[in-house]
Amino acid sequence: MARKKAATQRLPSKQDILAFIAENPGKVGKREIARAFNVGPSGRVALKALLRELKAEGDINQSHGKKMTPKGQLPEVVLVDLVRLDRDGDLVGRPVEWAAGGEPPRIVFELSNRARRELGDVGIGDRVLARVQPAGQNRYRGRIMKRLEQEEQPVLGLLSRTENGEFRLQPTDKKVRHEYIIAPEHLADAKPGEFVVAQPLAGRRFGLKIAKITEVIGSATDPKALSLIPIHALGIPTRFSDAAIREAEKAKPVPLGNREDLRHIPLITIDPEDARDHDDAVFAEPDDDPNNEGGWHVIVAIADVAHYVRPGSALDHEARMRGNSTYFPDRVVPMLPEALSADLCSLVEGKDRACMAVHLWFDADGNKIRHKFVRGLMRCAAGLNYRQVQQAIDGQPDKIAAEFLEPVLKPLYACHAALNKAREARQPLAIVTTERRVFIGKDGHIAAIKPREHLLSHQVIEDFMIAANVAAAEELEKRRQPCMYRVHEPPSDDKIDSLRKFLNSLDYRLAKGQGLRPMHFNAILERARGSEHERLINEVVLRTQMQAYYTPENLGHFGLNLSRYAHFTSPIRRYADVLVHRALIRGLRLGDDGLPPEDVENFEQIAEHISLTERRSMQAERDALSRFIAAYMAEHVGATFEGSITGVTRFGLFVALTETGAEGFVPIATLSDDYYEHDEAHRALVGKRSKKRFRLGDAITVRLEEATPVTGGLRFDVVGSGDDTQRRSRVGRPALSAKKSTNRPSWAKHRSRKRR
């Protein structure tokens, strides 16, 4: 009943909240907002989610005291990290928290001799509590109230040695702009050119903080060390407890018992060539029910992880703590120990494996008629990959795929043709994105970076998995069981308004009204297809969407255009799926290892945790990919490339290269042919004199000026300027290769000769 009230109680709109904060800057917190708009206890969870959304979108900032200010403004009192000295010797800081997008404001502290005496040895790297006031565009004057004695966190960085023999640590975090000095007695046998973890110490030398090395991660000449940086920086657990390892190693194969015997059915797995676990298998056949002419019977079998990972066990604790597996170009940090993830829980070809399976029946138009969940025992008939399957369907089967072409693969594709009719009628959001894959050669170095192929075989498996996930959510609702929903909310009104204005400037019209659905966005994307605006509109529509997350409250999935959705198909790598399996076991009375009451009571907290661990993994995977790409691109400093503008700020342009997907920055100061101003409404930099434009999504030709694999940073200069870049052909571009540099370390910062 309480949940129903929370859903129906009227909340203030985002505009109401922003107006209230603007009228009371620095004085408003969640409690004051709740009081002002009469939000009772039953509505506090929804209000908290609304405020979290506003913060994530950058519309509000929150100070250390949880007081809020409007987008782009700092509160009167703020936490500041001191990052450098300016030309006048004044300390320059930046706010600890800044969600408004773009470069955070610069805070300048002019310290008098008296202030220095009172504050003591305050300097670069310190965190202070400061009172600030505006002093121009994106600039504040600050007065330090006190230095905060904070426990220094370990720093991950690259050890180097200066010409005078001094050891320095360059942090891998882009946000940390100062180096540390390492005394010889604090080296711990580390050598220049190695990634290390260091503990900051009290005191300074030559104005810089000092630190001692506590752990050597590995040589910077090894590309595989690049994935260790985000693992350490974001605190992703890499070691399992001894108790969890013992539980995993004691696990045994499951006997048939009361399970449904599926071993006679030729279930197959279809995965990427580099897949490290196999947790789903599929089978399809024509439905033999005469009342369902042209219909299909499908089985989606999923690894029965819940049988091995019991509630309250050491394995359960470790899996929940991780939340999910994290995938890097050279390794995986698994959610489960290898004895399970790569063996007993993996649907290995020719081995009996415990599974949770769902039988699905579809009509000739792909609409689901009914479903049935069972706990089964299966034996994978073949482990195939996407390319292998697609080539077989296209008439070029290899020896293995040929055996399964008629009895398994063709029925799967024929059934999918029916599912595709329902999919097209449903019209999920049709934004196209490109994933990149890093190819590492036998010598351990990066051989190539290429887009991942998206074949019809990918869509076949994806649609079967979506159908199984929907069935899981429906079954749990039917059984009145808790469900860990995968929620994707519609875009906010503010984002829609901004998108509509932008599209109007390009003579595109987005339907008005409160009932926008994915089909309305798809109409815009379809109209733009093949036009000069295709990339631009695709990018802007993508940025309008919200981020998906987990919650026990069903809010629907906007992107898939589904009223209910849960994750069921990947329990080896997602804890959310394990919870859904346990809820099904409990609701269907399929065993004594179902969802325990204490987890039901804590479902909301668990949902928040696994949503955060998912975002942590996504950030780690992005950070690692950017470093691998920067390492690859470091061999091509000075070359020119084709790309597109993926971000426009008042400080410059973010550009993604077409071939590799490498993303870097063009500082506005390098656009020297004119004075460029930021046109936020049109997402462009516009020349004041020439009126030339750099717009989001525009094609552009750039030259690589710097590549810093340690941080994953790339800096470009524009070849030509403004609209001219769209008419330039590729100039002087060398062929990309993974050849190692012969005259300098492969992980050092590379600059073009004119910048050295």
Side-chain angles (χ1 to χ4, degrees), residues 428-429 488-491 516-518 521 545 556-562:
L429 200 58
H488 182 229
E489 296 186 73
L516 281 180
R517 304 301 304 162
F521 293 100
Q545 307 307 311
H557 198 294
F558 180 81
L560 292 175
N561 199 13
L562 293 167

Side-chain angles (χ1 to χ4, degrees), residues 437-594:
R437 180 182 173 189
V438 176
F439 292 85
I440 298 178
K442 294 181 179 179
D443 60 355
H445 287 83
I446 305 165
I449 298 172
K450 298 179 180 179
R452 283 190 182 271
E453 287 184 302
H454 190 79
L455 306 169
L456 180 57
S457 54
H458 289 89
Q459 192 66 58
V460 169
I461 296 302
E462 180 180 326
D463 284 345
F464 285 139
M465 296 304 113
I466 289 173
N469 287 336
V470 171
E474 291 177 347
E475 187 68 26
L476 290 177
E477 286 191 3
K478 175 184 175 183
R479 301 283 172 177
R480 299 176 183 263
Q481 294 297 314
C483 181
M484 187 60 73
Y485 291 99
R486 180 64 169 180
V487 162
H488 182 229
E489 296 186 73
S492 66
D493 292 341
D494 292 342
K495 286 190 172 185
I496 292 293
D497 289 342
S498 177
L499 174 65
R500 186 176 284 115
K501 290 176 183 177
F502 177 71
L503 292 174
N504 287 344
S505 72
L506 299 177
D507 200 27
Y508 286 77
R509 298 290 179 264
L510 182 64
K512 292 185 177 181
Q514 299 297 317
L516 281 180
R517 304 301 304 162
M519 61 180 291
H520 298 111
F521 293 100
N522 290 344
I524 296 291
L525 294 169
E526 182 59 34
R527 183 187 163 195
R529 197 178 309 279
S531 74
E532 62 176 323
H533 302 305
E534 180 177 1
R535 282 187 296 184
L536 172 63
I537 290 177
N538 196 83
E539 184 73 28
V540 176
V541 170
L542 175 62
R543 291 173 184 234
T544 302
Q545 307 307 311
M546 305 296 287
Q547 188 171 25
Y549 61 96
Y550 294 107
T551 175
E553 184 178 0
N554 182 19
L555 302 175
H557 198 294
F558 180 81
L560 292 175
N561 199 13
L562 293 167
S563 58
R564 58 187 61 81
Y565 192 66
H567 276 162
F568 162 77
T569 55
S570 297
I572 292 178
R573 63 184 180 91
R574 292 189 304 227
Y575 192 72
D577 302 54
V578 177
L579 295 171
V580 169
H581 280 227
R582 288 177 181 166
L584 288 167
I585 292 167
R586 168 176 156 156
L588 294 166
R589 299 180 180 179
L590 295 175
D592 60 359
D593 48 355

Side-chain angles (χ1 to χ4, degrees), residues 44-109:
R44 296 293 172 88
V45 173
L47 177 62
K48 181 180 177 182
L50 192 62
L51 293 174
R52 186 168 59 241
E53 185 179 310
L54 283 168
K55 187 177 179 182
E57 292 170 356
D59 291 324
I60 58 174
N61 300 317
Q62 202 162 12
S63 70
H64 70 288
K66 303 301 182 184
K67 301 302 182 183
M68 302 173 188
T69 52
K71 175 182 179 180
Q73 294 183 23
L74 288 178
E76 184 180 359
V77 177
V78 64
L79 287 176
V80 179
D81 285 333
L82 303 178
V83 295
R84 63 182 176 85
L85 295 173
D86 65 10
R87 294 178 180 177
D88 299 323
D90 295 325
L91 282 167
V92 178
R94 64 163 179 265
V96 172
E97 294 187 4
W98 179 255
E103 188 75 12
R106 184 164 56 103
I107 305 169
V108 180
F109 298 90

Side-chain angles (χ1 to χ4, degrees), residues 28-335:
V28 174
K30 184 176 68 174
R31 181 180 300 175
E32 288 75 16
I33 293 172
R35 287 175 178 172
F37 295 99
N38 297 317
V39 179
S42 61
R44 296 293 172 88
V45 173
L47 177 62
K48 181 180 177 182
L50 192 62
L51 293 174
R52 186 168 59 241
E53 185 179 310
L54 283 168
K55 187 177 179 182
E57 292 170 356
D59 291 324
I60 58 174
N61 300 317
Q62 202 162 12
S63 70
H64 70 288
K66 303 301 182 184
K67 301 302 182 183
M68 302 173 188
T69 52
K71 175 182 179 180
Q73 294 183 23
L74 288 178
E76 184 180 359
V77 177
V78 64
L79 287 176
V80 179
D81 285 333
L82 303 178
V83 295
R84 63 182 176 85
L85 295 173
D86 65 10
R87 294 178 180 177
D88 299 323
D90 295 325
L91 282 167
V92 178
R94 64 163 179 265
V96 172
E97 294 187 4
W98 179 255
E103 188 75 12
R106 184 164 56 103
I107 305 169
V108 180
F109 298 90
E110 300 175 3
L111 297 183
S112 64
N113 290 334
R114 178 181 175 183
R116 292 182 185 276
R117 286 195 301 271
E118 292 176 351
L119 293 168
D121 190 23
V122 66
I124 298 171
D126 283 332
R127 178 168 292 182
V128 299
L129 185 66
R131 192 177 299 277
V132 300
Q133 61 184 64
Q137 186 178 25
N138 216 45
R139 186 176 183 272
Y140 287 76
R141 287 194 301 272
R143 180 172 66 83
I144 297 175
M145 300 168 66
K146 68 175 181 178
R147 183 175 63 177
L148 300 180
E149 296 297 335
Q150 55 178 332
E151 182 180 351
E152 293 277 12
Q153 297 298 312
V155 178
L156 180 64
L158 178 66
L159 183 66
S160 63
R161 192 170 190 175
T162 63
E163 293 180 357
N164 61 7
E166 188 175 71
F167 293 97
R168 296 285 186 97
L169 182 71
Q170 178 192 356
T172 58
D173 187 348
K174 294 179 183 179
K175 298 176 183 177
V176 181
R177 299 183 182 179
H178 59 276
E179 295 182 337
Y180 290 81
I181 293 178
I182 309 293
E185 63 269 23
H186 293 149
L187 284 174
D189 296 327
K191 299 177 180 60
E194 290 183 326
F195 287 118
V196 299
V197 177
Q199 180 63 48
L201 302 173
R204 295 175 181 276
R205 186 178 178 188
F206 305 124
L208 292 178
K209 287 193 169 186
I210 60 176
K212 68 174 181 179
I213 293 173
T214 58
E215 182 182 356
V216 177
I217 302 301
S219 172
T221 60
D222 182 1
K224 294 183 178 181
L226 295 176
S227 58
L228 292 173
I229 297 174
I231 288 173
H232 279 74
L234 295 170
I236 295 175
T238 57
R239 297 179 181 177
F240 292 94
S241 68
D242 291 342
I245 294 293
R246 284 195 298 270
E247 288 181 4
E249 291 178 345
K250 286 181 180 179
K252 303 295 182 184
V254 176
L256 179 60
N258 294 325
R259 293 174 177 269
E260 180 173 313
D261 194 346
L262 302 173
R263 289 174 293 182
H264 63 287
I265 297 174
L267 286 151
I268 65 170
T269 61
I270 304 176
D271 293 295
E273 294 177 50
D274 57 347
R276 294 164 169 121
D277 47 54
H278 309 275
D279 46 14
D280 58 81
V282 292
F283 170 77
E285 63 182 356
D287 189 1
D288 58 9
D289 184 348
N291 295 321
N292 187 27
E293 186 177 351
W296 294 91
H297 169 227
V298 172
I299 300 176
V300 176
I302 307 299
D304 191 356
V305 173
H307 171 80
Y308 295 100
V309 182
R310 300 293 178 113
S313 66
L315 280 170
D316 186 41
H317 173 76
E318 293 280 346
R320 182 180 297 187
M321 178 176 63
R322 286 163 171 76
N324 47 263
S325 298
T326 308
Y327 295 86
F328 299 100
D330 62 316
R331 74 188 72 209
V332 59
V333 180
M335 186 181 79

Side-chain angles (χ1 to χ4, degrees), residues 436 633 641-644 655-664 702 714 716:
R436 305 286 167 173
M633 296 299 294
F641 302 92
E642 302 301 317
S644 59
V655 174
L657 304 186
T658 303
E659 184 172 343
T660 62
E663 188 170 53
V702 293
L714 300 174
F716 300 124

